[in-house]
């Protein structure tokens, strides 16, 4: 493979300049390849560029939610809080872009509108707006697991004359809610972070809830200097231990107890209390069987319902806030005063089961027959997750096969990295991999390293194309479905299974268990890419 020119042909084209696209660009360049990345955004950062809503922050600890690939970077960058806020993560992304001189290969404000495999030339033709088509030997979709927003089609929305916002497309100018009547629709992680902050500013805040969320306290604060020093004393070892965790993070958390069912009531309470006091995701891994045994799961769920009952003064509001689905089947929300917010006199909770939204009107909406006036409506309604951004590009592979056709009944691929019929196409943090059930930066680094090694191997062995065989792909899809069917993640209507977007095929899209997955990828590569066809 020749080093590409800087004209209309490169070795590697990358869609996205979030953490995935940036690291992919860096790795490709370090192999001596010509790379071009595109992002429709004005700047790098991906998720952390778009999601600027009040209260937006990470819920994986800062010392873990960061790149590990460069020792000097991880030693020199200093985080201020246990969980970094969005501006700090965006500043980090920008720092990485400058530090590794990534911007020269990134075209911002440029949308990839399509991509077509040219069989004769054995390269991808990537369409961009604005811009001329670019030819590339490899195409990497780093377009994000949670970057395609979901805005439900509420009747009459166009008639609403107030301001509207989506958490995932937040304005760059400061937004003031002072003195305003605000509606927030949705109660997932984004809303849970935003609601306490908006409630402190708005004249009145109404939260519209379809499914109540399980929230655990973040207990955010400045980074503990003693803890930070311990991590920094052996950062590489810390990263390696985290990669051996099922979700790729949390090696310093207390290990899970064996079973919520065999523990005595006292032991159980002590274990839950200890994790609740620690804050964050520790709670979700109090016992090993929370994700696999519905009775154990219910004990954890009831623990949180009890905390809601203790916290929320109005019994009817408390009852509405109590989730009834299995805990962990939707992402656990990490909050800073969410339940407490409903004790404020300016905050009201509306259950959409009791009062469905009938229509929007010029000055508000009507729910359950009740007209409500709003100045601002915030949609915290999430994303067309995992597949949305790739399907908007809808690459056309061999013999005119579109990705949307290949994925008509749900996404299929091999190792979550390649799709049969789409030579030299790689997807990062997509379906069929641990993706969103991990510390995503750990997943990104593993995916990018695998893709870079594969491209390097092809160059060394003189191959021009690679793609999974249909048989290997079918076996992988079967493996993911079989592994995930008994887990809690498959059990309710979440974005993990595509149920949040009407009409989307219901398929579990993430595979829990990062270490086993990473080993499987490693074995495949070490064995010369078994299950892949090379040409
Ligand atoms: P993204 O950051 O989504 O970047 C993809 C980029 O591709 C975007 O900038 C987008 O504009 C661009 N793009 C997409 N399609 C096109 C196109 N056709 N043309 C041009 N550009 C395109 N993960 C965690 O592990 N821990 C957390 O605490 C956490 N918190 C999160 C909080 C929020 C609010 C959200 C939404 C997600 C969070 N995530 C978290 C998941 C987060 O998405 C990942 O951690 C990570 O940032 C994903 O990086 P990425 O580069 O793969 O994708
Ligand atoms: P989300 O978890 O999908 O939540 C969307 C909310 O909108 C849900 O309450 C959903 O209700 C509701 N909703 C969707 N469509 C609706 C409709 N038609 N009518 C009424 N309500 C509707 O989205 P998100 O909160 O943006 O979070 C998405 C993911 O991003 C998270 O799971 C997480 O992975 C990541 N994230 C992380 C953090 C963090 O703490 N670091 C913060 C934000 C986001 P149902 O549950 O009933 O569908």
């Amino acid at each position: 493979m020749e080093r590409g020119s800087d004209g209309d042909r490169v070795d590697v084209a990358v869609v996205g300049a979030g953490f995935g696209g940036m690291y992919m660009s860096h790795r490709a360049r370090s192999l001596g390849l010509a790379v071009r990345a595109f992002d429709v955004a004005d700047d790098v950062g991906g998720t952390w560029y778009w999601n600027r809503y009040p209260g937006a922050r990470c819920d994986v600890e800062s010392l873990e939610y960061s790149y590990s690939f460069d020792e000097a970077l991880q030693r020199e960058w200093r985080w201020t809080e246990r969980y970094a806020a969005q501006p700090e993560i965006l500043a980090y992304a920008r720092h990485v872009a400058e530090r590794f001189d990534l911007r020269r290969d990134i075209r911002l404000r440029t949308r990839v509108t399509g991509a077509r495999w040219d069989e004769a030339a054995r390269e991808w033709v990537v369409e961009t707006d604005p811009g001329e088509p670019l030819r590339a030997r490899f195409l990497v979709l780093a377009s994000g697991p949670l970057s395609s927003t979901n805005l439900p089609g509420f009747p009459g929305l166009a008639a609403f004359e107030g301001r509207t916002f989506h958490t995932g497309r937040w304005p760059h100018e400061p937004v003031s809610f002072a003195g305003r009547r605000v509606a927030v629709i949705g109660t997932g992680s984004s809303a849970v972070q935003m609601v306490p902050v908006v409630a402190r500013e708005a004249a009145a805040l109404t939260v519209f809830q379809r499914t109540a969320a399980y929230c655990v306290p973040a207990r955010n604060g400045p980074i503990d200097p003693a803890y930070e020093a311990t991590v920094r004393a052996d950062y590489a070892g810390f990263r390696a231990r985290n990669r051996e965790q099922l979700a790729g993070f949390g090696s310093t958390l207390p290990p899970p107890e064996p079973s919520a069912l065999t523990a005595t009531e006292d032991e159980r309470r002590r274990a839950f209390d200890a994790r609740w006091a620690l804050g964050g995701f520790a709670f979700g891994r109090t016992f090993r069987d929370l994700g696999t045994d519905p009775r154990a799961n219910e004990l954890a769920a009831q623990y949180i319902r009890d905390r809601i009952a203790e916290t929320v003064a109005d019994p009817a509001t408390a009852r509405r806030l109590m989730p009834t689905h299995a805990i962990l089947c939707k992402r656990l929300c990490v909050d800073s005063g969410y339940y407490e917010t409903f004790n404020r006199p300016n905050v009201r909770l509306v259950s959409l089961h009791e009062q469905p939204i009938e229509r929007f009107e010029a000055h508000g909406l009507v729910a359950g027959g009740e007209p409500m006036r709003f100045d601002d409506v915030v949609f915290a309604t999430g994303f067309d997750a995992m597949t949305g951004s790739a399907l908007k590009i809808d690459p056309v592979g061999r013999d005119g096969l579109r990705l949307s056709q290949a994925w008509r009944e749900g996404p299929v691929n091999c190792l979550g990295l390649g799709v049969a019929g789409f030579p030299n196409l790689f997807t990062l943090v997509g379906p069929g991999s641990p993706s969103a059930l991990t510390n995503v930066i750990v997943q990104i680094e593993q995916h990018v390293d695998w893709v870079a090694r594969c491209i390097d191997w092809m160059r060394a062995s003189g191959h021009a194309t690679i793609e999974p065989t249909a048989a290997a792909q079918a076996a992988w899809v079967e493996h993911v479905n079989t592994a995930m069917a008994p887990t809690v993640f498959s059990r309710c209507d979440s974005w993990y299974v595509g149920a949040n977007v009407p009409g989307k095929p219901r398929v579990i899209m993430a595979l829990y268990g990062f270490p086993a997955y990473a080993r499987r990828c490693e074995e495949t590569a070490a064995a010369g890419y078994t299950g892949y066809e090379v040409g």
Side-chain angles (χ1 to χ4, degrees):
M1 201 179 312
E2 295 298 309
R3 189 185 157 84
S5 72
D6 199 35
D8 62 356
R9 179 174 269 106
V10 291
D11 298 307
V12 185
V14 180
V15 187
F19 286 121
M22 288 202 296
Y23 183 45
M24 189 68 240
S25 303
H26 175 67
R27 285 287 276 123
R29 198 198 281 168
S30 64
L31 290 175
L33 301 170
V35 60
R36 181 86 48 80
F38 299 98
D39 204 304
V40 68
D42 286 346
D43 205 351
V44 299
T47 287
W48 305 101
Y49 168 88
W50 295 109
N51 292 263
R52 297 160 184 250
Y53 57 84
R57 67 172 66 247
C58 209
D59 56 10
V60 168
E61 295 192 20
S62 319
L63 291 167
E64 302 182 46
Y65 189 82
S66 46
Y67 287 125
S68 71
F69 70 82
D70 187 86
E71 184 58 25
L73 169 67
Q74 68 182 5
R75 284 204 172 282
E76 286 163 28
W77 180 267
R78 303 311 285 245
W79 298 100
T80 60
E81 291 179 280
R82 179 180 178 189
Y83 300 102
Q86 173 270 334
E88 192 167 28
I89 307 176
L90 183 58
Y92 172 75
R94 287 178 174 146
H95 170 79
V96 171
E98 311 303 336
R99 186 177 184 119
F100 297 99
D101 188 23
L102 301 179
R103 289 185 188 277
R104 87 180 133 93
D105 293 326
I106 298 175
R107 300 294 174 269
L108 296 169
R109 292 175 284 277
T110 307
R111 180 182 295 282
V112 173
T113 52
R116 177 176 54 80
W117 175 249
D118 179 340
E119 181 68 32
R122 298 207 287 188
E123 49 190 27
W124 283 96
V125 183
V126 181
E127 307 280 348
T128 63
D129 177 23
E132 295 300 310
L134 174 82
R135 289 184 162 265
R137 181 58 53 86
F138 297 96
L139 174 61
V140 180
L141 301 185
S143 47
L146 294 159
S147 66
S148 180
T149 51
N150 172 40
L151 181 59
F154 291 105
L157 183 55
F160 180 61
E161 290 174 5
R163 300 186 300 181
T164 57
F165 305 90
H166 190 289
T167 52
R169 287 291 178 275
W170 202 260
H172 290 203
E173 313 74 48
V175 175
S176 171
F177 291 110
R180 299 178 72 88
R181 293 161 302 184
V182 182
V184 171
I185 301 178
T187 53
S189 299
S190 300
V192 160
Q193 289 187 327
M194 189 177 62
V195 158
V197 185
V198 174
R200 290 197 285 272
E201 202 189 9
L205 170 63
T206 305
V207 178
F208 290 88
Q209 169 188 282
R210 185 163 72 179
T211 307
Y214 289 101
C215 302
V216 293
R219 310 214 186 281
N220 187 34
I223 284 195
D224 171 4
Y227 175 68
E228 186 182 11
T230 320
V231 169
R232 288 186 181 284
D234 175 23
Y235 220 143
F238 176 71
R239 300 286 198 184
R241 288 188 291 281
N242 283 326
R243 283 192 283 267
E244 284 307 316
Q245 299 293 305
L246 285 172
F249 69 98
S251 63
T252 55
L253 296 175
E257 310 281 342
S259 166
L261 300 173
T262 56
T264 65
E265 205 174 324
D266 268 4
E267 287 166 345
R268 203 160 50 229
R269 175 74 200 215
R270 271 200 302 278
F272 282 138
D273 280 350
R275 272 71 170 187
W276 188 262
L278 268 178
F281 283 123
F283 184 84
R285 34 177 269 175
T286 307
F287 293 100
R288 272 207 192 98
D289 48 3
L290 297 188
T292 47
D293 189 310
R295 292 164 306 157
N297 186 283
E298 173 55 23
L299 291 165
Q302 189 55 43
Y303 180 92
I304 296 197
R305 289 185 210 116
D306 292 344
R307 303 288 77 69
I308 296 171
E310 278 171 11
T311 307
V312 179
D314 173 45
T317 303
R319 189 174 31 75
R320 287 189 187 101
L321 284 167
M322 289 178 192
T324 52
H325 56 279
I327 185 170
L328 303 178
C329 79
K330 291 178 183 244
R331 197 161 182 276
L332 203 54
C333 296
V334 179
D335 82 298
S336 296
Y338 177 69
Y339 294 131
E340 289 83 345
T341 299
F342 293 93
N343 293 332
R344 295 177 66 99
N346 66 333
V347 177
R348 175 183 176 190
L349 179 72
V350 172
S351 161
L352 291 171
H353 297 294
E354 296 164 12
Q355 289 186 254
I357 294 174
E358 288 154 31
R359 62 181 181 280
F360 276 80
E361 294 182 333
H363 302 292
L365 57 81
V366 179
E370 182 187 342
M372 303 179 194
R373 290 178 80 86
F374 295 111
D375 303 306
D376 301 320
V377 176
V378 177
F379 294 97
T381 44
F383 300 88
D384 180 358
M386 310 293 279
T387 55
S389 59
L391 286 173
K392 276 186 183 159
I393 299 166
D394 203 8
V396 182
R398 216 187 276 285
D399 302 324
L401 177 67
R402 286 191 164 276
L403 192 63
S404 55
Q405 292 168 321
W407 286 6
R408 194 171 28 229
E409 287 166 25
V412 290
N413 59 28
C414 185
L415 294 176
L417 280 159
V419 187
F422 295 81
N424 295 4
L425 173 83
F426 300 103
T427 56
L428 305 186
V429 204
S433 72
S435 56
L437 294 178
T438 60
N439 169 355
V440 174
I441 297 199
V442 167
Q443 174 68 92
I444 282 170
E445 290 193 325
Q446 186 264 339
H447 270 176
V448 170
D449 290 344
W450 193 93
V451 171
R453 177 178 172 183
C454 177
I455 293 176
D456 198 30
W457 173 81
M458 289 177 66
R459 180 167 60 175
S461 53
H463 294 298
T465 61
I466 186 163
E467 71 181 281
T469 64
Q473 174 166 287
W476 182 252
V477 171
E478 175 67 20
H479 169 70
V480 173
N481 289 338
T482 308
M484 294 303 287
T487 70
V488 71
F489 305 111
S490 299
R491 218 176 288 159
C492 62
D493 289 347
S494 69
W495 62 258
Y496 297 151
V497 298
N500 63 325
V501 175
K504 193 164 170 171
R506 191 185 178 104
V507 174
I508 181 74
M509 291 189 283
L511 171 68
Y512 189 54
F514 178 78
Y517 168 80
R519 272 193 283 279
R520 183 80 172 257
C521 291
E522 166 65 28
E523 285 158 14
T524 302
Y529 300 91
T530 40
Y532 281 77
E533 217 169 273
V534 287

